[in-house]
Amino acid sequence: KQWYQRRVRVDEQRLKYLGADKPSAEWILLNKGRVKMAGSNTWITSFWDFPQHEYSESFKLTHIQADDTEVTSVGFRHIKNLPYIKSASFANCRYMDDSALPNLLTSSESGQLKYLNLRNTPITHNGVYHLAELKSLKFLDISECRMLSDSQQTKAMTMLEFLKENLPQCSILLKDSRVIRENL
């Protein structure tokens, strides 16, 4: 349990000193995800391949790919305030729930976040309503989310209309590879 608490604990002093980009990238890499930094076409896939003992203002996290990892909602505090993030994918992250989503909002305020994949995560209708604040999104995948099933069709339709109204430029993938809205 202590190991887990250290793994998800956010070091506020370190964040203040380094900014959010480097610690966020390290957290994703420690959870077996991959990241891409500004000015690079190469994915960093290992924590040990990431520059450990240096800091540069050029560390600007632009892409997160954390599909099939064990990132948790608690750990999402690591990805707050990422002004350069363009895409984030958390498909099949079974420990990520609604409480993770507000942390994405602080990273989207710059208007850079264009692509978000939350396919097959345990988010609910309540969590999806947070996503309407991501005004810069061009693509959102919330397909296969167990809590957004047809058994709650009335809620799903209300949620969908809400998203379409608030994200008019966003293509929304809701279920079975069907794009609900495409205005790109």
Side-chain angles (χ1 to χ4, degrees):
K1 185 174 179 170
Q2 288 178 331
W3 172 85
Y4 174 76
Q5 288 173 338
R6 281 195 310 269
R7 188 174 178 192
V8 297
R9 179 178 48 96
V10 175
D11 185 340
E12 297 296 336
Q13 278 193 297
R14 191 165 186 267
L15 277 175
K16 189 175 181 179
Y17 174 72
L18 293 175
D21 295 280
K22 186 172 182 180
S24 298
E26 291 172 343
W27 178 72
I28 293 294
L29 292 168
L30 283 170
N31 280 284
K32 309 288 189 237
R34 10 183 243 163
V35 297
K36 197 183 283 188
M37 306 303 276
S40 175
N41 291 325
T42 305
W43 286 97
I44 300 170
T45 59
S46 168
F47 177 79
W48 304 111
D49 292 339
F50 196 71
Q52 299 296 316
H53 300 293
E54 59 185 81
Y55 168 71
S56 170
E57 289 191 18
S58 67
F59 286 138
K60 294 180 172 118
L61 182 58
T62 57
H63 302 277
I64 294 172
Q65 203 282 357
D67 296 350
D68 301 301
T69 64
E70 294 188 0
V71 297
T72 64
S73 292
V74 172
F76 256 72
R77 294 175 296 166
H78 288 276
I79 62 166
K80 285 174 116 175
N81 305 315
L82 297 173
Y84 307 102
I85 196 74
K86 295 178 181 178
S87 70
S89 185
F90 300 97
N92 305 311
C93 290
R94 62 183 175 198
Y95 302 115
M96 184 191 140
D97 60 27
D98 295 344
S99 64
L101 300 179
N103 292 303
L104 289 173
L105 300 179
T106 60
S107 290
S108 70
E109 290 172 358
S110 68
Q112 296 288 322
L113 185 63
K114 305 289 185 214
Y115 175 91
L116 181 60
N117 183 355
L118 301 173
R119 180 178 37 86
N120 195 27
T121 59
I123 61 171
T124 69
H125 298 90
N126 295 330
V128 169
Y129 285 104
H130 287 290
L131 300 176
E133 295 179 47
L134 301 173
K135 301 298 185 191
S136 61
L137 277 185
K138 299 291 182 197
F139 182 82
L140 172 64
D141 185 346
I142 51 175
S143 62
E144 300 178 39
C145 291
R146 294 175 297 280
M147 303 302 178
L148 302 177
S149 67
D150 284 338
S151 64
Q152 300 178 11
Q153 192 163 8
T154 304
K155 282 185 182 179
M157 292 312 294
T158 303
M159 174 202 60
L160 178 60
E161 291 304 317
F162 180 78
L163 284 176
K164 287 195 303 188
E165 181 179 315
N166 286 280
L167 301 173
Q169 300 302 315
C170 185
S171 295
I172 302 167
L173 194 61
L174 181 60
K175 94 179 205 187
D176 301 329
S177 302
R178 188 178 68 195
V179 176
I180 301 300
R181 180 176 195 119
E182 192 166 84
N183 287 337
L184 301 177

PDB file of all heavy atoms in Angstrom, residues 11-34:
ATOM      1  N   ASP A  11       4.061  15.409  -5.998  1.00  0.00           N
ATOM      2  CA  ASP A  11       5.047  16.222  -5.295  1.00  0.00           C
ATOM      3  C   ASP A  11       4.848  17.674  -5.730  1.00  0.00           C
ATOM      4  O   ASP A  11       5.342  18.093  -6.782  1.00  0.00           O
ATOM      5  CB  ASP A  11       6.454  15.724  -5.626  1.00  0.00           C
ATOM      6  CG  ASP A  11       7.536  16.429  -4.837  1.00  0.00           C
ATOM      7  OD1 ASP A  11       7.284  17.543  -4.326  1.00  0.00           O
ATOM      8  OD2 ASP A  11       8.645  15.872  -4.741  1.00  0.00           O
ATOM      9  N   GLU A  12       4.130  18.432  -4.920  1.00  0.00           N
ATOM     10  CA  GLU A  12       3.764  19.798  -5.278  1.00  0.00           C
ATOM     11  C   GLU A  12       4.985  20.699  -5.466  1.00  0.00           C
ATOM     12  O   GLU A  12       5.007  21.539  -6.354  1.00  0.00           O
ATOM     13  CB  GLU A  12       2.816  20.398  -4.235  1.00  0.00           C
ATOM     14  CG  GLU A  12       1.482  19.672  -4.110  1.00  0.00           C
ATOM     15  CD  GLU A  12       0.632  19.727  -5.374  1.00  0.00           C
ATOM     16  OE1 GLU A  12       0.801  20.653  -6.198  1.00  0.00           O
ATOM     17  OE2 GLU A  12      -0.212  18.829  -5.550  1.00  0.00           O
ATOM     18  N   GLN A  13       6.014  20.523  -4.643  1.00  0.00           N
ATOM     19  CA  GLN A  13       7.227  21.339  -4.788  1.00  0.00           C
ATOM     20  C   GLN A  13       7.919  21.050  -6.120  1.00  0.00           C
ATOM     21  O   GLN A  13       8.410  21.954  -6.781  1.00  0.00           O
ATOM     22  CB  GLN A  13       8.184  21.100  -3.632  1.00  0.00           C
ATOM     23  CG  GLN A  13       7.817  21.891  -2.404  1.00  0.00           C
ATOM     24  CD  GLN A  13       8.958  21.872  -1.408  1.00  0.00           C
ATOM     25  OE1 GLN A  13       9.316  20.816  -0.919  1.00  0.00           O
ATOM     26  NE2 GLN A  13       9.495  23.047  -1.133  1.00  0.00           N
ATOM     27  N   ARG A  14       7.966  19.796  -6.472  1.00  0.00           N
ATOM     28  CA  ARG A  14       8.589  19.410  -7.735  1.00  0.00           C
ATOM     29  C   ARG A  14       7.797  19.990  -8.913  1.00  0.00           C
ATOM     30  O   ARG A  14       8.379  20.467  -9.880  1.00  0.00           O
ATOM     31  CB  ARG A  14       8.659  17.884  -7.819  1.00  0.00           C
ATOM     32  CG  ARG A  14       9.498  17.382  -8.947  1.00  0.00           C
ATOM     33  CD  ARG A  14       9.817  15.895  -8.737  1.00  0.00           C
ATOM     34  NE  ARG A  14      10.734  15.464  -9.754  1.00  0.00           N
ATOM     35  CZ  ARG A  14      10.365  14.917 -10.894  1.00  0.00           C
ATOM     36  NH1 ARG A  14       9.101  14.690 -11.141  1.00  0.00           N
ATOM     37  NH2 ARG A  14      11.263  14.564 -11.792  1.00  0.00           N
ATOM     38  N   LEU A  15       6.476  19.946  -8.829  1.00  0.00           N
ATOM     39  CA  LEU A  15       5.642  20.536  -9.873  1.00  0.00           C
ATOM     40  C   LEU A  15       5.893  22.032  -9.999  1.00  0.00           C
ATOM     41  O   LEU A  15       5.954  22.572 -11.108  1.00  0.00           O
ATOM     42  CB  LEU A  15       4.161  20.298  -9.580  1.00  0.00           C
ATOM     43  CG  LEU A  15       3.578  18.971 -10.001  1.00  0.00           C
ATOM     44  CD1 LEU A  15       2.145  18.858  -9.525  1.00  0.00           C
ATOM     45  CD2 LEU A  15       3.657  18.785 -11.490  1.00  0.00           C
ATOM     46  N   LYS A  16       6.024  22.694  -8.863  1.00  0.00           N
ATOM     47  CA  LYS A  16       6.264  24.133  -8.872  1.00  0.00           C
ATOM     48  C   LYS A  16       7.606  24.450  -9.534  1.00  0.00           C
ATOM     49  O   LYS A  16       7.728  25.393 -10.306  1.00  0.00           O
ATOM     50  CB  LYS A  16       6.226  24.663  -7.438  1.00  0.00           C
ATOM     51  CG  LYS A  16       6.247  26.156  -7.331  1.00  0.00           C
ATOM     52  CD  LYS A  16       6.089  26.579  -5.877  1.00  0.00           C
ATOM     53  CE  LYS A  16       6.087  28.082  -5.767  1.00  0.00           C
ATOM     54  NZ  LYS A  16       5.914  28.526  -4.400  1.00  0.00           N
ATOM     55  N   TYR A  17       8.611  23.652  -9.242  1.00  0.00           N
ATOM     56  CA  TYR A  17       9.945  23.870  -9.775  1.00  0.00           C
ATOM     57  C   TYR A  17      10.050  23.488 -11.259  1.00  0.00           C
ATOM     58  O   TYR A  17      10.591  24.232 -12.063  1.00  0.00           O
ATOM     59  CB  TYR A  17      10.970  23.064  -8.961  1.00  0.00           C
ATOM     60  CG  TYR A  17      12.360  23.112  -9.519  1.00  0.00           C
ATOM     61  CD1 TYR A  17      13.125  24.269  -9.427  1.00  0.00           C
ATOM     62  CD2 TYR A  17      12.909  22.000 -10.151  1.00  0.00           C
ATOM     63  CE1 TYR A  17      14.404  24.319  -9.957  1.00  0.00           C
ATOM     64  CE2 TYR A  17      14.190  22.043 -10.680  1.00  0.00           C
ATOM     65  CZ  TYR A  17      14.932  23.197 -10.577  1.00  0.00           C
ATOM     66  OH  TYR A  17      16.183  23.246 -11.101  1.00  0.00           O
ATOM     67  N   LEU A  18       9.512  22.325 -11.628  1.00  0.00           N
ATOM     68  CA  LEU A  18       9.666  21.802 -12.984  1.00  0.00           C
ATOM     69  C   LEU A  18       8.536  22.176 -13.937  1.00  0.00           C
ATOM     70  O   LEU A  18       8.673  22.040 -15.146  1.00  0.00           O
ATOM     71  CB  LEU A  18       9.757  20.274 -12.956  1.00  0.00           C
ATOM     72  CG  LEU A  18      10.974  19.657 -12.305  1.00  0.00           C
ATOM     73  CD1 LEU A  18      10.835  18.142 -12.271  1.00  0.00           C
ATOM     74  CD2 LEU A  18      12.237  20.062 -13.036  1.00  0.00           C
ATOM     75  N   GLY A  19       7.403  22.572 -13.396  1.00  0.00           N
ATOM     76  CA  GLY A  19       6.228  22.708 -14.237  1.00  0.00           C
ATOM     77  C   GLY A  19       5.561  21.345 -14.357  1.00  0.00           C
ATOM     78  O   GLY A  19       6.074  20.348 -13.852  1.00  0.00           O
ATOM     79  N   ALA A  20       4.438  21.277 -15.012  1.00  0.00           N
ATOM     80  CA  ALA A  20       3.657  20.037 -15.046  1.00  0.00           C
ATOM     81  C   ALA A  20       4.115  19.036 -16.105  1.00  0.00           C
ATOM     82  O   ALA A  20       3.905  17.843 -15.953  1.00  0.00           O
ATOM     83  CB  ALA A  20       2.188  20.375 -15.267  1.00  0.00           C
ATOM     84  N   ASP A  21       4.742  19.502 -17.160  1.00  0.00           N
ATOM     85  CA  ASP A  21       5.022  18.627 -18.301  1.00  0.00           C
ATOM     86  C   ASP A  21       5.923  17.438 -17.970  1.00  0.00           C
ATOM     87  O   ASP A  21       5.596  16.299 -18.291  1.00  0.00           O
ATOM     88  CB  ASP A  21       5.614  19.433 -19.458  1.00  0.00           C
ATOM     89  CG  ASP A  21       4.628  20.438 -20.000  1.00  0.00           C
ATOM     90  OD1 ASP A  21       3.761  20.030 -20.775  1.00  0.00           O
ATOM     91  OD2 ASP A  21       4.717  21.620 -19.627  1.00  0.00           O
ATOM     92  N   LYS A  22       7.054  17.684 -17.364  1.00  0.00           N
ATOM     93  CA  LYS A  22       7.991  16.590 -17.091  1.00  0.00           C
ATOM     94  C   LYS A  22       7.427  15.597 -16.064  1.00  0.00           C
ATOM     95  O   LYS A  22       7.419  14.385 -16.324  1.00  0.00           O
ATOM     96  CB  LYS A  22       9.345  17.131 -16.642  1.00  0.00           C
ATOM     97  CG  LYS A  22      10.365  16.012 -16.486  1.00  0.00           C
ATOM     98  CD  LYS A  22      11.756  16.509 -16.235  1.00  0.00           C
ATOM     99  CE  LYS A  22      12.668  15.294 -16.160  1.00  0.00           C
ATOM    100  NZ  LYS A  22      14.037  15.609 -15.933  1.00  0.00           N
ATOM    101  N   PRO A  23       6.930  16.043 -14.904  1.00  0.00           N
ATOM    102  CA  PRO A  23       6.357  15.072 -13.956  1.00  0.00           C
ATOM    103  C   PRO A  23       5.167  14.304 -14.541  1.00  0.00           C
ATOM    104  O   PRO A  23       4.997  13.124 -14.263  1.00  0.00           O
ATOM    105  CB  PRO A  23       5.936  15.928 -12.761  1.00  0.00           C
ATOM    106  CG  PRO A  23       6.797  17.145 -12.842  1.00  0.00           C
ATOM    107  CD  PRO A  23       7.007  17.381 -14.307  1.00  0.00           C
ATOM    108  N   SER A  24       4.364  14.954 -15.362  1.00  0.00           N
ATOM    109  CA  SER A  24       3.234  14.268 -15.995  1.00  0.00           C
ATOM    110  C   SER A  24       3.718  13.179 -16.932  1.00  0.00           C
ATOM    111  O   SER A  24       3.195  12.059 -16.926  1.00  0.00           O
ATOM    112  CB  SER A  24       2.371  15.266 -16.769  1.00  0.00           C
ATOM    113  OG  SER A  24       1.828  16.226 -15.908  1.00  0.00           O
ATOM    114  N   ALA A  25       4.708  13.502 -17.735  1.00  0.00           N
ATOM    115  CA  ALA A  25       5.269  12.513 -18.656  1.00  0.00           C
ATOM    116  C   ALA A  25       5.854  11.345 -17.881  1.00  0.00           C
ATOM    117  O   ALA A  25       5.657  10.181 -18.244  1.00  0.00           O
ATOM    118  CB  ALA A  25       6.331  13.160 -19.538  1.00  0.00           C
ATOM    119  N   GLU A  26       6.557  11.634 -16.802  1.00  0.00           N
ATOM    120  CA  GLU A  26       7.146  10.569 -15.988  1.00  0.00           C
ATOM    121  C   GLU A  26       6.059   9.660 -15.417  1.00  0.00           C
ATOM    122  O   GLU A  26       6.205   8.436 -15.414  1.00  0.00           O
ATOM    123  CB  GLU A  26       7.991  11.166 -14.862  1.00  0.00           C
ATOM    124  CG  GLU A  26       9.247  11.835 -15.353  1.00  0.00           C
ATOM    125  CD  GLU A  26       9.987  12.603 -14.277  1.00  0.00           C
ATOM    126  OE1 GLU A  26       9.402  12.903 -13.216  1.00  0.00           O
ATOM    127  OE2 GLU A  26      11.167  12.910 -14.499  1.00  0.00           O
ATOM    128  N   TRP A  27       4.953  10.247 -14.956  1.00  0.00           N
ATOM    129  CA  TRP A  27       3.873   9.449 -14.380  1.00  0.00           C
ATOM    130  C   TRP A  27       3.265   8.515 -15.439  1.00  0.00           C
ATOM    131  O   TRP A  27       3.028   7.340 -15.183  1.00  0.00           O
ATOM    132  CB  TRP A  27       2.799  10.353 -13.768  1.00  0.00           C
ATOM    133  CG  TRP A  27       1.645   9.595 -13.201  1.00  0.00           C
ATOM    134  CD1 TRP A  27       1.638   8.836 -12.063  1.00  0.00           C
ATOM    135  CD2 TRP A  27       0.333   9.502 -13.756  1.00  0.00           C
ATOM    136  NE1 TRP A  27       0.392   8.284 -11.882  1.00  0.00           N
ATOM    137  CE2 TRP A  27      -0.422   8.678 -12.901  1.00  0.00           C
ATOM    138  CE3 TRP A  27      -0.273  10.044 -14.872  1.00  0.00           C
ATOM    139  CZ2 TRP A  27      -1.755   8.385 -13.143  1.00  0.00           C
ATOM    140  CZ3 TRP A  27      -1.600   9.748 -15.103  1.00  0.00           C
ATOM    141  CH2 TRP A  27      -2.323   8.925 -14.245  1.00  0.00           C
ATOM    142  N   ILE A  28       3.036   9.050 -16.633  1.00  0.00           N
ATOM    143  CA  ILE A  28       2.496   8.218 -17.713  1.00  0.00           C
ATOM    144  C   ILE A  28       3.473   7.088 -18.041  1.00  0.00           C
ATOM    145  O   ILE A  28       3.078   5.928 -18.189  1.00  0.00           O
ATOM    146  CB  ILE A  28       2.183   9.061 -18.965  1.00  0.00           C
ATOM    147  CG1 ILE A  28       1.024  10.031 -18.686  1.00  0.00           C
ATOM    148  CG2 ILE A  28       1.890   8.179 -20.169  1.00  0.00           C
ATOM    149  CD1 ILE A  28      -0.328   9.381 -18.426  1.00  0.00           C
ATOM    150  N   LEU A  29       4.747   7.398 -18.137  1.00  0.00           N
ATOM    151  CA  LEU A  29       5.755   6.383 -18.464  1.00  0.00           C
ATOM    152  C   LEU A  29       5.870   5.330 -17.361  1.00  0.00           C
ATOM    153  O   LEU A  29       6.020   4.142 -17.659  1.00  0.00           O
ATOM    154  CB  LEU A  29       7.113   7.040 -18.711  1.00  0.00           C
ATOM    155  CG  LEU A  29       7.184   7.909 -19.979  1.00  0.00           C
ATOM    156  CD1 LEU A  29       8.457   8.741 -19.983  1.00  0.00           C
ATOM    157  CD2 LEU A  29       7.060   7.068 -21.226  1.00  0.00           C
ATOM    158  N   LEU A  30       5.787   5.745 -16.118  1.00  0.00           N
ATOM    159  CA  LEU A  30       5.836   4.782 -15.008  1.00  0.00           C
ATOM    160  C   LEU A  30       4.643   3.835 -15.025  1.00  0.00           C
ATOM    161  O   LEU A  30       4.712   2.730 -14.509  1.00  0.00           O
ATOM    162  CB  LEU A  30       5.906   5.505 -13.661  1.00  0.00           C
ATOM    163  CG  LEU A  30       7.264   6.083 -13.296  1.00  0.00           C
ATOM    164  CD1 LEU A  30       7.149   6.977 -12.061  1.00  0.00           C
ATOM    165  CD2 LEU A  30       8.274   4.973 -13.058  1.00  0.00           C
ATOM    166  N   ASN A  31       3.556   4.279 -15.636  1.00  0.00           N
ATOM    167  CA  ASN A  31       2.358   3.450 -15.753  1.00  0.00           C
ATOM    168  C   ASN A  31       2.295   2.713 -17.084  1.00  0.00           C
ATOM    169  O   ASN A  31       1.240   2.275 -17.512  1.00  0.00           O
ATOM    170  CB  ASN A  31       1.107   4.311 -15.546  1.00  0.00           C
ATOM    171  CG  ASN A  31       0.848   4.568 -14.094  1.00  0.00           C
ATOM    172  OD1 ASN A  31       0.362   3.688 -13.384  1.00  0.00           O
ATOM    173  ND2 ASN A  31       1.202   5.745 -13.620  1.00  0.00           N
ATOM    174  N   LYS A  32       3.444   2.618 -17.766  1.00  0.00           N
ATOM    175  CA  LYS A  32       3.578   1.846 -19.011  1.00  0.00           C
ATOM    176  C   LYS A  32       2.899   2.482 -20.215  1.00  0.00           C
ATOM    177  O   LYS A  32       2.594   1.816 -21.198  1.00  0.00           O
ATOM    178  CB  LYS A  32       3.064   0.409 -18.840  1.00  0.00           C
ATOM    179  CG  LYS A  32       3.638  -0.315 -17.647  1.00  0.00           C
ATOM    180  CD  LYS A  32       5.068  -0.679 -17.849  1.00  0.00           C
ATOM    181  CE  LYS A  32       5.542  -1.598 -16.742  1.00  0.00           C
ATOM    182  NZ  LYS A  32       6.667  -1.136 -16.016  1.00  0.00           N
ATOM    183  N   GLY A  33       2.659   3.803 -20.133  1.00  0.00           N
ATOM    184  CA  GLY A  33       2.137   4.522 -21.284  1.00  0.00           C
ATOM    185  C   GLY A  33       3.290   5.068 -22.111  1.00  0.00           C
ATOM    186  O   GLY A  33       4.456   4.735 -21.876  1.00  0.00           O
ATOM    187  N   ARG A  34       2.960   5.908 -23.085  1.00  0.00           N
ATOM    188  CA  ARG A  34       3.988   6.553 -23.886  1.00  0.00           C
ATOM    189  C   ARG A  34       3.626   8.020 -24.066  1.00  0.00           C
ATOM    190  O   ARG A  34       2.451   8.389 -23.963  1.00  0.00           O
ATOM    191  CB  ARG A  34       4.203   5.926 -25.245  1.00  0.00           C
ATOM    192  CG  ARG A  34       3.251   4.939 -25.689  1.00  0.00           C
ATOM    193  CD  ARG A  34       3.569   4.318 -27.018  1.00  0.00           C
ATOM    194  NE  ARG A  34       2.494   4.668 -27.939  1.00  0.00           N
ATOM    195  CZ  ARG A  34       2.572   4.586 -29.232  1.00  0.00           C
ATOM    196  NH1 ARG A  34       3.656   4.183 -29.806  1.00  0.00           N
ATOM    197  NH2 ARG A  34       1.561   4.909 -29.985  1.00  0.00           N
TER     198      ARG A  34
END
